[in-house]
Amino acid sequence: QVQLVESGGGLVQPGRSLRLSCTASGFTFRNYAMAWYRQAPGKERELVADITSTHRTNYADSVKGRFTISRDNAKNTVYLQMNSLKPEDTAVYYCTPPAWAGSWGQGTQVTVSS
């Protein structure tokens, strides 16, 4: 059974940084791609970034140059470093292994506001 636990969200001012973490279990983490999605109020869930098992990365245009996805296979953890945060980054952030469609954690709230 796939389990995902996100953490690291919070309330920050515009321009500041946060690092999100997601620890996974129930599958061989190192063999699979991982992705971060986010969902803002009243909007559909959208892809933020993903990382393959070989550490190849992909980003949404809205976060390129500001966010960095990484993974630590020894810890079964994927990270999302978010810099230069903007109010439009406010959302609940989720991680997921795309190979297990529909597997989501509880998410972590990120609020960017002055």
Side-chain angles (χ1 to χ4, degrees):
Q1 180 181 357
V2 173
Q3 292 188 321
L4 304 155
V5 179
E6 301 96 339
S7 62
L11 171 64
V12 294
Q13 294 180 330
R16 303 300 292 267
S17 299
L18 279 176
R19 188 176 84 152
L20 307 184
S21 300
C22 168
T23 300
S25 60
F27 62 102
T28 307
F29 180 83
R30 65 180 179 274
N31 291 347
Y32 292 93
M34 292 294 295
W36 283 98
Y37 281 74
R38 66 186 181 187
Q39 187 167 19
K43 295 188 176 181
E44 293 189 354
R45 197 168 295 189
E46 63 174 359
L47 177 67
V48 176
D50 56 46
I51 183 167
T52 69
S53 60
T54 56
H55 296 250
R56 185 179 302 173
T57 59
N58 173 63
Y59 297 92
D61 287 344
S62 58
V63 306
K64 278 181 182 176
R66 300 189 297 122
F67 290 11
T68 302
I69 188 171
S70 62
R71 63 190 297 160
D72 184 339
N73 290 337
K75 296 182 178 180
N76 282 11
T77 299
V78 60
Y79 302 99
L80 187 67
Q81 177 67 43
M82 305 187 295
N83 299 329
S84 302
L85 282 161
K86 303 176 180 180
E88 51 263 44
D89 295 318
T90 295
V92 179
Y93 285 71
Y94 302 89
C95 72
T96 187
W100 276 271
S103 294
W104 303 97
Q106 83 287 350
T108 186
Q109 175 71 48
V110 172
T111 303
V112 185
S113 175
S114 55

